[in-house]
Amino acid sequence: VQLQASGGGLVQAGGSLRLSCVARGSIFGINVMGWYRQAPGKQRELVALITSEGSTNYVDSVKGRFTISGDNAKKRVDLEMNSLKPEDTAVYYCNAKGKMYYREFDYWGQGTQVTVSS
């Protein structure tokens, strides 16, 4: 199973980016997909997540600016990021959690760099 993330890049403050992540391989039973980020010298933090029922949760610093959406059937999650700030600069990681064959799983993507210039 692989989580393939795409869409990072360099953008000026106030700009927008869209991240996408698709789970490829034999996987089912995804309960939650989300995006985390890790800035240099900081711990990885949750940015946003979406459950298989469509419930969403965001870290306070991105509320009103970022929107997470998902398609459970396509095993895909997107993150629309607007009004980007330099403090959003980080490596963004896609994550999928769930249960398959009675065993829980927790998969991570390879990370995609987001750089916001001031």
Side-chain angles (χ1 to χ4, degrees), residues 5 7 13-14 29-30 38 48 60 65 69 72-73 83-84 87-88 98 105 117:
I30 295 175
Q38 187 166 18
D60 286 347
R65 301 188 297 120
S69 58
N72 210 42
S83 302
L84 282 160
E87 50 263 43
D88 295 317
F105 59 80
S117 63

Side-chain angles (χ1 to χ4, degrees), residues 3-79:
L3 298 187
Q4 295 183 344
S6 61
L10 172 64
V11 65
Q12 288 187 331
S16 299
L17 283 173
R18 185 180 182 88
L19 305 182
S20 296
C21 175
V22 177
R24 299 195 184 278
S26 180
I27 181 173
F28 59 88
I30 295 175
N31 292 327
V32 180
M33 292 192 79
W35 289 94
Y36 292 71
R37 67 186 178 188
Q38 187 166 18
K42 294 187 177 181
Q43 289 188 330
R44 189 174 297 188
E45 66 169 352
L46 172 68
V47 177
L49 59 82
I50 184 166
T51 70
S52 56
E53 292 81 22
S55 297
T56 59
N57 192 27
Y58 299 88
V59 66
D60 286 347
S61 61
V62 308
K63 286 180 181 178
R65 301 188 297 120
F66 291 13
T67 303
I68 191 169
S69 58
D71 187 328
N72 210 42
K74 295 182 179 179
K75 298 174 286 186
R76 176 185 174 123
V77 63
D78 297 322
L79 185 68

